[in-house]
Amino acid sequence: AQSVTQLGSHVSVSEGALVLLRCNYSSSVPPYLFWYVQYPNQGLQLLLKYTTGATLVKGINGFEAEFKKSETSFHLTKPSAHMSDAAEYFCALPGGYGQNFVFGPGTRLSVLP
Amino acid sequence: DTEVTQTPKHLVMGMTNKKSLKCEQHMGHRAMYWYKQKAKKPPELMFVYSYEKLSINESVPSRFSPECPNSSLLNLHLHALQPEDSALYLCASSQGGWGSTDTQYFGPGTRLTVL
């Protein structure tokens, strides 16, 4: 069965510092992988997705993620955090035939001035 | 355009009320979803309509009743809700039908409070 884990339910960084949010997955088939961001009282917004091809995926708002098959990881990074990046971040992958997306538990990012 | 719209944005209702949530997309997507999200948790799937047919009902209580009038609209009818049903209700859609790997696009949600 497909599964997603996100290490760290809460990550705090200083403004201007590197952002690293971790996502590891388990999949019986080559995975598609997604990162979504959710600002307070809003819906989920697609940040980026990996399908096939280039393993470094660039998304919106300066975020990128690297697919590493050997480590079963898809960590999200941003070189310099901004106050507006404070939000909840979810990693997800399709669940397979007849199954819905599997969402990770989420990581709340706080950005300190 | 990847917009999914939801109305209302906020809803407060008593336990005896009947209300409806509305979701709309004009992207030609073939699958539409209702999710329930509690604070600090990922979304939980409630219902899926694929090609306008109810494909998935994740053991949701009958006080929630989905409806898909056409390929662009999705409603969630609410009746006799309980305070524990208070949550953010999200609608989503995807290009492919149920179970596809296509991106799910989410609406802004309806914040429901049951008194």
Side-chain angles (χ1 to χ4, degrees), chain A residues 5 17 22 25-26 28 31 56 61 74 76-77 87 93 98-99 107-108 110:
Chain A
T5 57
R22 299 178 187 273
Y25 69 90
S26 174
S28 56
L56 184 62
N61 301 338
F74 191 55
L76 183 70
T77 60
L93 81 165
Q99 302 293 322
T107 297
R108 181 164 61 93
S110 296

Side-chain angles (χ1 to χ4, degrees), chain A residues 40-82:
Chain A
N41 291 312
Q42 294 188 27
L44 277 68
Q45 179 182 3
L46 179 69
L47 265 180
L48 50 82
K49 65 178 179 181
Y50 169 78
T51 53
T52 57
T55 57
L56 184 62
V57 181
K58 294 189 183 299
I60 61 171
N61 301 338
F63 283 93
E64 62 182 33
E66 186 172 11
F67 172 67
K68 291 187 177 181
K69 184 178 179 180
S70 61
E71 298 178 7
T72 61
S73 69
F74 191 55
H75 300 333
L76 183 70
T77 60
K78 182 175 180 178
S80 177
H82 192 271

Side-chain angles (χ1 to χ4, degrees), chain A residues 38 44 88 90 104-106, chain B residues 36-44:
Chain A
Q38 185 175 31
L44 277 68
E88 190 84 19
F90 294 98
Chain B
K36 174 183 179 180
Q37 187 181 28
K38 290 287 214 179
K40 302 184 189 303
K41 297 290 187 183
E44 297 176 24

